[in-house]
Amino acid sequence: MTPRETQGLVSMTDGARLGWTALGDRTRQPPVVMLHGGPGLPDDLGDVAAMVADLAPVYRYDQRGTGRSAWQGRHRLARHGDDLAELLDAWEAPEAVLIGHSYGADLASRICMAHPGRVAAMLLMCGPFTGDWHAAYRAERAARMSAAQRQRLRALKETPDRTREQETELLTLAWCTDHADPERGWHRAARDARRRRPVNWAMNRELGGEGQTHPLDEHLAELRACLPARTELLGGADDPRPVSALASLALRLGRPLTRIENAGHEPWSEQPDAVRAHLRRFVRDAVGAPGPGRSTG
């Protein structure tokens, strides 16, 4: 049976309204909440949610300023963390299992520190990246592009008031290196560049800038102290962002890292069976759902 999907809008205390989608039986506790990447992009984790929605209800939401969550104003990491706490109240969920992807993994980590009692378990996918990883990422991304592609990407970034077609081209070039398979990666990037729109560039700049000014690196001891017992990391072995940075973080946090071979920054799109098996095991253990050979009585 296909899990039931429901949608809604929740008003925050400062007037923002956030659009959310739930898949599965919302009466079950605790729910899973998925935090999408960006910042400044709408949610894209529908395929991931479907992998585990029979084990627990799965909530996704567009972060304020993206998708169905319209917002005009300044963006702050603390406010984005408080948004989830208010959403959990609206969903009548004392705590939740967090699954964050890319920037969403950074956000999940910050939420864990600000609202530790609300996080039952946490899976950090393809992030957060800490330490000195930017140079290795830029070098690997450049190596996966032709000289003409690199030149065109630079030109598009410097183009003010880009047309819709130019924006799609820019995003395709920016995302095509995120995949292990270059040919399929180009097609996936082109599809996502048409679908994950519009990009809130102001939000991207504000939250990205705050993340650089107040990096997660400075709070790893605090994060480790408040992590729920069931916390894991997962990364694509062929992500241009160095998986070694995730391995270093996992070591500092004292938590396990699973590498998905032949997969990049969105491992579920390239190795869905491997990611599904990992997520189902993680969620099953986190919520106490029955698994193969496990009694329900």
Side-chain angles (χ1 to χ4, degrees), residues 30-31 33 95-99 118-123 228-232 282 285-287:
V33 178
E95 59 180 9
V97 176
L98 301 188
I99 298 178
R118 309 303 297 267
V119 185
M122 188 161 64
L123 177 62
R230 204 172 298 281
T231 300
E232 299 182 18
F282 176 81
D285 290 346
V287 305

Side-chain angles (χ1 to χ4, degrees), residues 5-297:
E5 181 176 286
T6 53
Q7 296 185 347
L9 288 170
V10 175
S11 295
M12 302 289 101
T13 52
D14 66 352
R17 301 186 74 200
L18 305 190
W20 59 268
T21 299
L23 193 62
D25 181 0
R26 295 177 59 207
T27 65
R28 299 171 67 179
Q29 295 283 353
V32 172
V33 178
M34 295 192 169
L35 303 172
H36 65 82
L41 296 168
D43 170 71
D44 66 333
L45 297 177
D47 291 344
V48 185
M51 293 178 175
V52 295
D54 61 317
L55 302 176
V58 182
Y59 288 88
R60 297 147 40 221
Y61 68 98
D62 290 313
Q63 296 156 19
R64 62 169 61 206
T66 68
R68 294 192 299 127
S69 301
W71 169 253
Q72 296 293 327
R74 300 180 70 184
H75 290 271
R76 291 293 179 264
L77 290 168
R79 177 65 254 187
H80 279 255
D82 292 342
D83 283 348
L84 179 57
E86 292 188 30
L87 284 169
L88 291 177
D89 290 341
W91 297 331
E92 299 182 343
E95 59 180 9
V97 176
L98 301 188
I99 298 178
H101 173 249
S102 193
Y103 160 73
D106 185 291
L107 181 58
S109 300
R110 295 175 188 272
I111 290 169
C112 185
M113 289 188 289
H115 305 278
R118 309 303 297 267
V119 185
M122 188 161 64
L123 177 62
L124 305 173
M125 291 201 302
C126 305
F129 287 90
T130 59
D132 185 18
W133 62 275
H134 292 89
Y137 168 53
R138 287 192 291 267
E140 180 61 26
R141 190 169 79 163
R144 297 185 185 190
M145 302 177 75
S146 68
Q149 288 175 328
R150 294 194 296 270
Q151 182 178 3
R152 179 58 176 163
L153 179 59
R154 285 194 298 270
L156 288 168
K157 285 182 176 181
E158 295 169 359
T159 300
D161 302 320
R162 288 184 293 268
T163 66
R164 182 179 180 87
E165 292 73 19
Q166 288 173 328
E167 184 86 343
T168 299
E169 184 183 4
L170 181 150
L171 295 175
T172 301
L173 288 166
W175 295 341
C176 68
T177 60
D178 279 349
H179 305 272
D181 184 315
E183 183 175 351
R184 292 183 179 179
W186 179 267
H187 292 295
R188 289 192 178 101
R191 176 201 64 191
D192 292 342
R194 293 188 297 269
R195 178 168 78 177
R196 298 192 70 192
R197 302 284 299 281
V199 177
N200 188 331
W201 291 109
M203 174 181 173
N204 182 274
R205 287 191 298 271
E206 289 175 6
L207 293 182
E210 186 179 355
Q212 292 177 2
T213 303
H214 302 287
L216 194 61
D217 306 57
E218 298 176 354
H219 304 281
L220 293 184
E222 178 187 354
L223 176 59
R224 177 169 180 160
C226 71
L227 286 176
R230 204 172 298 281
T231 300
E232 299 182 18
L233 293 85
L234 180 149
D238 293 312
D239 191 335
R241 300 155 189 81
V243 72
S244 59
L246 288 183
S248 176
L249 176 63
L251 185 64
R252 294 185 66 180
L253 296 180
R255 294 298 190 270
L257 165 67
T258 297
R259 295 173 175 83
I260 304 297
E261 299 298 326
N262 300 312
H265 195 57
E266 297 178 356
W268 65 87
S269 69
E270 296 184 281
Q271 300 297 333
D273 292 342
V275 174
R276 182 184 297 107
H278 184 86
L279 261 62
R280 291 186 66 80
R281 191 271 308 158
F282 176 81
V283 170
R284 184 180 290 116
D285 290 346
V287 305
R294 188 179 301 180
S295 172
T296 59

